[in-house]
Amino acid sequence: MSVTGRVRCWYEGRGERARYREQVRAGRRAGEEQDDVGPAPSGFTLLPWLLMGMGSFSNLFQGETPNPWVGGLGLLTFNSLYIYVVFRAFDPRARTAASTRGALVLMGAVTCGLALGYGGNWLNFFPLLGLAVGTVARGRWLGRAGVALALLGGATAVVREDWKDAVSVAYGTLLSTLVTAAILSLSQAVRELRAAREELARRAVEEERLRFSRDLHDLLGHTLSVVVVKAEAARRLAPRDLDAALAQVTDIEAVGRQALTEIREAVTGYREGSLPAELDRARSALRAADVEPVLSQSGPPLAPQTAALLGWVVREAVTNVVRHSGARRCEIAVAGDGDRVRLTVTDDGRGGGGSADGGGACGTGLTGLRERLAAAGGSLTAGAGTHGGFTVTAELPADGPPTVPHDPSRTVPHDPSGTPSRTAPHDPSRTDSGGLPAAAAPVGPSGPTLSP
């Protein structure tokens, strides 16, 4: 390899290691768990194995080798070819080039010549030759090359030394060839799988963004078109027919409120976490707080609405355990019998006063959870456990909240042109200040935590 090529490989290897260290530091700053696969292997990874030839180098300097100039030239040639091959082995095109294979054949000839001429420590060049072959050979040629090298090394050792040395040289040569190839192949496969996983995650995020933007377009496209048409009609009617203009304004208000409700429901569903995800977060949070988590789940699959509500209960109850209970153990059990599903969160902490059924003071987080479950046809109770600690119990229908009957008076009828017509006056008592039914008001993660 030319000096320019070696310098280029050195810079590429240094850049790869620098990028890997930067990725690790960035992941740690972001609090992400890193798969520590290390930097990509390169020719520098295999250079330390040249120390196996130090015995031969020592023989040269101590004058134990006849014709030291020949031995020194052979040693320099072998090391140069080794470096040339192992650096080209990590370039897919250079690895299969004829020049790389020719360098391996020349290494084999030099190795056989040095081993037959000197024996002893010079036989260690056969395992080094096997290591170089293992970086280049792939597929069905790997096993054949490894066996051929092992037989060649063993035969050379028999001629120069004895059978004991032959077995050691043959075994070391075969092992270095196969293990080197296996490790490099496994490292390449791990990196390809990691790159594929990152690509799949990136595509999943892009597809989810596309889906959500498409949903918002479907929700708002027609609604905003209707609002614009109604506003133009109200502007034209206002100078000559005020009552008709007010009717159009009333339609705009009804359409806007309905759109607001649909958007809030869509965004709430988009941000809601599933029950398995909340259970995983609860396990992690409890372990971080030195609380032993004991989780169990049985029964049929739950409806999405039921699972989402139980996920909120798990989050609030576990927050209470971590912050206030001083517990050492927390049990979370989900059990369903087909009609109803029950979630129980029990700890062995200090306990507390109050319950969800009216006995004592309740925290605002607990009250909000009770109202949400009641609106979905369920119930929530919380209070001191029978054996100490604190217990939160939630029950819900397994098939989801009951369906609210359709109220025709709340519908925005359409005229033949496809635009809404006048609807009944808005009833403030039926919605909250934002037009969203109170039972459907989302409770976000920033809401109050559960306190006993």
Side-chain angles (χ1 to χ4, degrees), residues 98-113:
S99 58
T100 304
R101 296 176 181 176
L104 282 176
V105 173
L106 185 56
M107 282 181 66
V110 172
T111 302
C112 289

Side-chain angles (χ1 to χ4, degrees), residues 161-185:
E161 301 294 339
D162 53 25
W163 283 99
K164 182 178 180 180
D165 291 335
V167 172
S168 300
V169 171
Y171 177 74
T173 303
L174 179 63
L175 191 65
S176 63
T177 304
L178 299 182
V179 170
T180 301
I183 291 176
L184 293 180
S185 300

Side-chain angles (χ1 to χ4, degrees), residues 11-149:
Y11 271 106
E12 290 177 354
R14 189 179 67 171
E16 176 68 23
R17 291 189 293 272
R19 285 191 295 271
Y20 169 73
R21 289 193 295 268
E22 180 59 30
Q23 291 176 358
V24 171
R25 286 194 292 266
R28 289 174 179 174
R29 287 194 297 267
E32 298 177 356
E33 183 178 354
Q34 296 291 309
D35 296 333
D36 190 5
V37 297
S42 64
F44 292 99
T45 310
L46 303 175
L47 289 184
W49 291 102
L50 285 175
L51 295 176
M52 291 178 62
M54 287 299 295
S56 304
F57 190 75
S58 175
N59 291 343
L60 286 174
F61 273 88
Q62 293 177 3
E64 300 176 0
T65 303
N67 300 320
W69 290 105
V70 176
L73 182 60
L75 183 62
L76 178 61
T77 303
F78 180 90
N79 289 342
S80 300
L81 291 172
Y82 177 88
I83 295 173
Y84 176 82
V85 170
V86 297
F87 273 98
R88 291 175 65 86
F90 294 95
D91 184 345
R93 289 182 297 180
R95 184 175 64 225
T96 58
S99 58
T100 304
R101 296 176 181 176
L104 282 176
V105 173
L106 185 56
M107 282 181 66
V110 172
T111 302
C112 289
L114 293 174
L116 289 173
Y118 298 113
N121 290 327
W122 297 85
L123 292 171
N124 291 331
F125 286 113
F126 276 104
L128 277 175
L129 176 61
L131 192 148
V133 171
T135 62
V136 175
R138 295 290 186 273
R140 66 175 184 269
W141 295 105
L142 175 62
R144 300 176 183 178
V147 173
L149 282 179

Side-chain angles (χ1 to χ4, degrees), residues 44-408:
F44 292 99
T45 310
L46 303 175
L47 289 184
W49 291 102
L50 285 175
L51 295 176
M52 291 178 62
M54 287 299 295
S56 304
F57 190 75
S58 175
N59 291 343
L60 286 174
F61 273 88
Q62 293 177 3
E64 300 176 0
T65 303
N67 300 320
W69 290 105
V70 176
L73 182 60
L75 183 62
L76 178 61
T77 303
F78 180 90
N79 289 342
S80 300
L81 291 172
Y82 177 88
I83 295 173
Y84 176 82
V85 170
V86 297
F87 273 98
R88 291 175 65 86
F90 294 95
D91 184 345
R93 289 182 297 180
R95 184 175 64 225
T96 58
S99 58
T100 304
R101 296 176 181 176
L104 282 176
V105 173
L106 185 56
M107 282 181 66
V110 172
T111 302
C112 289
L114 293 174
L116 289 173
Y118 298 113
N121 290 327
W122 297 85
L123 292 171
N124 291 331
F125 286 113
F126 276 104
L128 277 175
L129 176 61
L131 192 148
V133 171
T135 62
V136 175
R138 295 290 186 273
R140 66 175 184 269
W141 295 105
L142 175 62
R144 300 176 183 178
V147 173
L149 282 179
L151 293 177
L152 178 62
T156 304
V158 168
V159 172
R160 183 64 194 186
E161 301 294 339
D162 53 25
W163 283 99
K164 182 178 180 180
D165 291 335
V167 172
S168 300
V169 171
Y171 177 74
T173 303
L174 179 63
L175 191 65
S176 63
T177 304
L178 299 182
V179 170
T180 301
I183 291 176
L184 293 180
S185 300
L186 180 61
S187 176
Q188 181 181 0
V190 168
R191 295 183 182 281
E192 290 176 353
L193 288 174
R194 186 178 184 183
R197 184 182 64 181
E198 292 175 353
E199 178 65 17
L200 289 175
R202 185 185 63 81
R203 291 187 179 182
V205 171
E206 291 179 354
E207 291 176 358
E208 185 64 16
R209 288 175 178 171
L210 179 61
R211 183 196 67 81
F212 191 58
S213 62
R214 185 169 54 246
D215 290 347
L216 285 180
H217 177 270
D218 293 342
L219 286 172
L220 293 179
H222 177 70
T223 300
L224 292 180
S225 299
V226 172
V227 169
V228 171
V229 171
K230 289 291 184 179
E232 292 176 350
R235 177 175 54 80
R236 290 194 304 267
L237 292 172
R240 62 178 184 270
D241 191 347
L242 185 59
D243 290 338
L246 290 176
Q248 298 295 331
V249 172
T250 303
D251 288 344
I252 293 174
E253 179 185 4
V255 172
R257 289 184 180 277
Q258 180 64 26
L260 180 62
T261 299
E262 292 176 352
I263 292 174
R264 286 183 174 177
E265 290 175 351
V267 173
T268 300
Y270 181 79
R271 296 180 62 186
E272 287 271 353
S274 63
L275 180 59
E278 291 298 339
L279 291 175
D280 290 340
R281 294 190 189 101
R283 182 187 290 108
S284 177
L286 291 171
R287 287 176 177 171
D290 292 330
V291 180
E292 179 187 359
V294 180
L295 278 65
S296 63
Q297 187 172 1
S298 62
L302 304 178
Q305 301 92 334
T306 300
L309 287 173
L310 293 181
W312 282 115
V313 176
V314 170
R315 176 180 293 191
E316 296 291 349
V318 169
T319 300
N320 175 71
V321 172
V322 171
R323 291 185 178 179
H324 310 299
S325 68
R328 306 300 301 173
R329 177 186 174 91
C330 178
E331 297 182 6
I332 304 175
V334 182
D337 57 5
D339 297 330
R340 306 281 292 182
V341 59
R342 170 179 290 189
L343 167 69
T344 306
V345 182
T346 305
D347 64 72
D348 59 355
R350 293 184 294 268
S355 64
D357 53 9
C362 296
T364 55
L366 181 59
T367 302
L369 281 175
R370 182 179 59 174
E371 292 174 353
R372 291 195 71 187
L373 267 65
S379 62
L380 184 142
T381 59
T386 56
H387 302 288
F390 197 77
T391 301
V392 177
T393 303
E395 288 192 9
L396 281 170
D399 55 354
T403 304
V404 179
H406 177 64
D407 184 359

